[in-house]
Amino acid sequence: MKQTAVVTAGTAGIGLETALGLAEAGLAVTVVGRNAERGARAVERINATAPAHSARFLAADLASLDAVRVLAGRIAADGPLTVLVNNVGAMFADRQDSIDGIEATFAVNHLSPYLLTELLLPALRAGAPSRIVNVTSGAVAVAKRDFDAVEPPGGYYGFHWYGRAKLAHLAHTLELAGRLDGTGVSVLAADPGGAATDMTNGTMTDPKIVSPGLRLLWPLVRRKFERSTSGPASLAAKSSIFAATDGSLAGRTGVVIGPRAQPVVPFRAATDPRTAEAVRRLSEHLAPVAPA
Ligand SMILES: NC(=O)c1ccc[n+]([C@@H]2O[C@H](COP(=O)([O-])OP(=O)(O)OC[C@H]3O[C@@H](n4cnc5c(N)ncnc54)[C@H](OP(=O)(O)O)[C@@H]3O)[C@@H](O)[C@H]2O)c1
């Protein structure tokens, strides 16, 4: 059976490097992004490596839950799916709502991959042994751990809200791994560490993204960001590629792969069942699998 992979936000940055790695491993890769020209360039780049199967681009704005539903329908129509890499992620300097009227950081980093995964579970079950790889971030460490509502109490600070949405998604990842245990669908998280990409070269240069306390130390904080995100995206993609393809992970689930492309201990707050439960409630309410 042909092995297939979908990489969201796969037309640039860490996602494109991940797609290249999966194509090299013999999977038929679909990359998802908004911009069709970028998508065509990504497909050209992947196909230039003479993969076993040609790559394909599907357009979708993953900030829109309707677009996620349409995308899932198109992918599911192809039949069994072997690998889903939920690589999409975004950080915003200013608070903004998604097209669905949901705070955009939470929508893009958690709700969108949450919904895409839920909708693709039948295809992933049909493709078992299959893997879901959710891309996480070290920013989970600076997150507020309050998931009673989409937005945490207090002011908007893009980096911290990004970390909180990534924490929600990591808690969901570990909970889903438990839920799917024994189905042949493994659920893993991959932390790329850092890389110089659109995201790190853009929003992460704006002092507004950190809390006022850290803003006072901005030159130091900025230097730390620069140091940790100066590497190439090809290196940062190794954790996702390992999670998606490495034979040593066969039959394993609920594993977090760290920046050195090796299993690491999950960030403790993400293993708290109360966090997972609060995130589940919020997700089912905001992004129902079967819309009313
Ligand atoms: N870079 C880092 O240092 C770092 C560190 C830790 C974790 N991460 C995580 O790693 C993942 C990849 O990060 P990255 O730095 O490579 O990001 P990036 O450079 O911002 O990614 C660019 C890709 O994202 C796509 N994209 C952005 N918004 C989209 C949307 N709404 N819908 C569909 N596609 C969208 C772009 O496609 P279009 O151009 O078509 O929109 C492009 O393919 C993210 O989950 C990020 O949170 C990154």
Side-chain angles (χ1 to χ4, degrees), residues 8-16 32-36 38-39 57 60-64 86-90 108-109 135-139 162 166 190-200 204 228-229 233 236:
T8 66
T11 60
I14 297 168
L16 175 54
V32 179
R34 292 170 295 193
N35 183 303
R38 234 180 177 187
F57 166 71
D61 180 353
L62 297 166
S64 153
N86 283 308
N87 170 75
V88 74
V108 176
N109 292 284
V135 177
T136 185
S137 162
Y162 164 81
K166 287 286 190 189
D191 178 356
T197 63
D198 289 356
M199 186 175 81
T200 50
M204 281 183 80
S228 60
T229 62

Side-chain angles (χ1 to χ4, degrees), residues 155-233:
Y156 177 84
Y157 309 111
F159 181 65
H160 302 266
W161 285 40
Y162 164 81
R164 177 176 170 275
K166 287 286 190 189
L167 175 58
H169 205 60
L170 184 55
H172 158 70
T173 302
L174 300 176
E175 185 267 332
L176 184 65
R179 196 169 11 122
L180 296 183
D181 201 13
T183 62
V185 184
S186 297
V187 190
L188 305 124
D191 178 356
T197 63
D198 289 356
M199 186 175 81
T200 50
N201 293 333
T203 320
M204 281 183 80
T205 60
D206 189 334
K208 261 197 307 214
I209 62 170
V210 295
S211 59
L214 283 181
R215 217 173 292 164
L216 291 172
L217 305 170
W218 179 247
L220 283 176
V221 174
R222 176 73 198 125
R223 218 168 307 135
K224 190 160 190 286
F225 282 165
E226 267 168 358
R227 265 206 304 269
S228 60
T229 62
S230 60

